[in-house]
Amino acid sequence: MKNLLFSKSDFKYTLRLLAKKPGFTLLSVIVLAGSLGLSIFTFTMSYTMAYKPLPLNNGESIVEICAGETINSCLGFKAFEFAEMRQDITSLDNIGVYSSEDVYIERQELVTEVSAVYTEWTMFQLSETNALIGRTLQPFDHR
């Protein structure tokens, strides 16, 4: 059966038109290549930031304990509640606590919003990772 949407003569006609105007052809190829590159970059970045799991050793054994859940969110415990629970937890090898929130940093009349994480000094040991720059957190940093 003959393809009704695109035939051999259509393809030859397209090539002839593109050959007549090489400037337009080059511009079209550049725009299409740039758009494709930008689309691939955007997809890769969003996948890496949102969906790709962190490369942690024994990552499947790390669990998150929540006081409750909302849509896409884990509700944390109050500090005194977790302090009471921590004494009774015997089935976990390591325990680490973290909290994240947006904070504002002001410098010379310029205010910047950044995402900050408050954690215990044991977080690097818990995740079995090393610091990329400098040293890991130490017990005296927790005080």
Side-chain angles (χ1 to χ4, degrees):
M1 183 170 168
K2 188 175 179 181
N3 187 353
L4 299 176
L5 295 177
F6 194 74
S7 67
K8 194 175 189 182
S9 62
D10 290 335
F11 185 68
K12 288 180 183 179
Y13 179 68
T14 302
L15 290 178
R16 278 196 311 264
L17 285 178
L18 291 174
K20 277 185 179 178
K21 298 191 177 192
F24 174 76
T25 303
L26 179 64
L27 180 64
S28 298
V29 168
I30 289 172
V31 168
L32 289 172
S35 300
L36 179 63
L38 185 61
S39 297
I40 291 171
F41 170 78
T42 303
F43 172 77
T44 304
M45 181 63 76
S46 62
Y47 171 75
T48 301
M49 299 299 279
Y51 299 110
K52 188 176 179 183
L54 293 174
L56 297 175
N57 296 333
N58 299 323
E60 65 279 351
S61 66
I62 296 175
V63 295
E64 181 178 36
I65 301 172
C66 303
E69 284 190 47
T70 61
I71 299 172
N72 299 329
S73 175
C74 176
L75 298 175
F77 291 95
K78 293 185 176 20
F80 72 89
E81 292 173 334
F82 190 75
E84 290 293 319
M85 285 177 42
R86 178 177 243 159
Q87 297 169 1
D88 298 330
I89 297 174
T90 58
S91 61
L92 301 176
D93 293 333
N94 293 316
I95 299 173
V97 177
Y98 77 96
S99 173
S100 61
E101 65 182 62
D102 293 334
V103 296
Y104 297 95
I105 298 174
E106 182 177 352
R107 183 175 151 201
Q108 299 175 352
E109 299 180 10
L110 178 66
V111 178
T112 305
E113 180 181 3
V114 295
S115 182
V117 175
Y118 303 99
T119 184
E120 292 181 317
W121 70 275
T122 58
M123 193 54 68
F124 284 101
Q125 293 173 347
L126 177 71
S127 62
E128 298 179 4
T129 57
N130 295 321
L132 292 175
I133 299 173
R135 63 174 177 83
T136 59
L137 299 173
Q138 303 297 319
F140 58 85
D141 292 328
H142 188 70
R143 286 184 229 125

